[in-house]
Amino acid sequence: MKKYIVFGVVILVLTALIFSLFYYFKKPESDEILLYGNIEIREVNLAFRVSGKLAALYFEEGDYVKKGQILAKLDDDTFLTDLAEAKAKTAEISSVKLNAQNIYRRNLTLCLDETVSKEECDRILTSKNKAAADFDLSIAQLKNAKIALNDTRLIAPNDGIILTRINEKGTILSAGTPVYNMSLFKPLWARAYISEENLGKIKLGQKAYISSDSMPDKEFSAHIGFISPVAEFTPKTVETVSLRTDLVYRLRVIIDENEDGTTGENGLHLYLRQGMPVNIRIPLDKEVLDVGHDKCAAGVSGGG
């Protein structure tokens, strides 16, 4: 009997020792997720909406530009002529319209009491309506002439830096031919990938911090702006059960405005450049950590 009691005590001691060692050596659940990614910056090809001869370019490669600045200009002689013709045409048709309205008013009473024939009244009304339509058309053509003249100026759509000066002065350009290639300062984000295991711990808008190896002590505030609904695996998506844990999901971690609000030559692009590898730290919410601890406790309890 004593033998069985001793054996039972030994089993209990060993069990307690195993659980103690398990808790002692168990890796504590981290309160943050660490990812690695690369900086991505949007680029845009800038072109005129109209064709013409390139008359002037005001910026070189590497120059900083601000939103609304004029970057280049086309020869506008023909556009000024078109605008003058449109203004003259509008003035002419305005006179015709006014005359047709006066004739209509003078004959309205005569038409109502049938002093004037119905055919003549119809002709007067048709002339009045046609003059009004012609005037509306001339106004639209005048507006188009003004827009075309304005389109001879190439305007910066946002703050950025000129990467490539594609064409030079004197080039005859068709509409849509790129003149500059420009890198935008905003938005600025990092592309990263997260495992399926950690996917449930993050959400859109969640706070994150980005740092680079060139400035490891400086962190940039950011937030999760996109979580891909499609799993990816290099070089292709894998659906086999054995590799399911290797599926990853693409993230876009968007960098917030820099704290001092500086832009242009003092902006974030000085520290974070296209393709630069970065470290991404995502602090986990307390609720996520609590759920993780509860699952762990439930697993130990169930095992016992």
Side-chain angles (χ1 to χ4, degrees):
M1 186 67 179
K2 287 184 179 181
K3 181 179 179 181
Y4 289 108
I5 293 176
V6 171
F7 181 75
V9 171
V10 170
I11 294 297
L12 288 176
V13 171
L14 288 175
T15 302
L17 180 61
I18 290 172
F19 275 106
S20 298
L21 291 174
F22 172 78
Y23 280 111
Y24 181 79
F25 289 105
K26 182 180 181 294
K27 183 180 179 180
E29 188 162 354
S30 175
D31 58 355
E32 62 183 23
I33 296 175
L34 297 177
L35 302 175
Y36 302 96
N38 296 88
I39 292 296
E40 292 197 354
I41 300 174
R42 283 193 177 135
E43 297 180 10
V44 58
N45 288 326
L46 303 178
F48 292 99
R49 294 202 303 175
V50 295
S51 59
K53 180 179 179 181
L54 189 54
L57 294 98
Y58 302 115
F59 291 91
E60 298 288 344
E61 294 178 355
D63 287 346
Y64 296 94
V65 298
K66 294 184 178 296
K67 180 178 180 179
Q69 279 189 306
I70 300 176
L71 306 179
K73 188 177 180 181
L74 292 177
D75 189 337
D76 58 7
D77 289 350
T78 57
F79 295 93
L80 289 171
T81 300
D82 291 343
L83 179 59
E85 289 180 355
K87 287 181 177 179
K89 188 69 174 178
T90 300
E92 177 187 355
I93 296 179
S94 178
S95 298
V96 174
K97 175 186 175 184
L98 180 60
N99 184 56
Q101 289 175 336
N102 290 335
I103 293 174
Y104 175 78
R105 280 194 293 268
R106 286 197 300 268
N107 289 275
L108 181 59
T109 303
L110 299 176
C111 289
L112 291 175
D113 61 15
E114 299 183 351
T115 302
V116 179
S117 67
K118 187 176 184 304
E119 290 77 8
E120 181 64 16
C121 291
D122 289 343
R123 186 189 67 78
I124 293 172
L125 179 60
T126 300
S127 297
K128 169 184 163 297
N129 291 339
K130 182 178 184 303
D134 288 343
F135 179 75
D136 291 341
L137 177 60
S138 69
I139 291 295
Q141 291 173 338
L142 177 60
K143 183 178 180 181
N144 284 336
K146 291 179 178 178
I147 292 174
L149 178 61
N150 187 64
D151 284 341
T152 60
R153 301 179 304 161
L154 187 60
I155 308 297
N158 261 311
D159 294 352
I161 182 172
I162 300 297
L163 297 180
T164 310
R165 181 165 152 157
I166 302 172
N167 281 292
E168 293 299 327
K169 179 179 178 180
T171 305
I172 303 299
L173 302 172
S174 58
T177 301
V179 177
Y180 287 112
N181 176 254
M182 175 180 167
S183 173
L184 303 180
F185 289 153
K186 302 174 188 177
L188 188 64
W189 73 84
R191 179 192 296 266
Y193 294 88
I194 191 168
S195 66
E196 185 177 9
E197 178 184 1
N198 288 323
L199 184 62
K201 300 177 182 179
I202 64 171
K203 60 186 179 181
L204 287 176
Q206 187 167 341
K207 196 70 178 174
Y209 298 91
I210 292 177
S211 62
S212 65
D213 292 338
S214 60
M215 298 183 67
D217 297 330
K218 184 175 180 62
E219 284 192 326
F220 299 94
S221 177
H223 64 276
I224 298 175
F226 170 76
I227 303 174
S228 174
V230 180
E232 301 178 36
F233 185 83
T234 306
K236 61 183 180 179
T237 301
V238 175
E239 298 177 354
T240 60
V241 175
S242 62
L243 294 177
R244 185 173 297 166
T245 56
D246 290 331
L247 292 174
V248 292
Y249 296 81
R250 179 164 53 92
L251 299 181
R252 178 178 293 176
V253 183
I254 302 174
I255 299 170
D256 300 332
E257 294 287 340
N258 42 331
E259 297 179 2
D260 57 3
T262 57
T263 57
E265 299 184 20
N266 298 315
L268 286 173
H269 69 281
L270 292 178
Y271 311 103
L272 303 173
R273 299 177 181 273
Q274 174 72 31
M276 177 182 288
V278 292
N279 308 309
I280 303 169
R281 182 172 63 87
I282 306 175
L284 297 179
D285 294 337
K286 184 178 184 300
E287 293 80 2
V288 174
L289 294 174
D290 290 343
V291 170
H293 290 314
D294 291 344
K295 287 183 178 179
C296 180
V300 173
S301 175

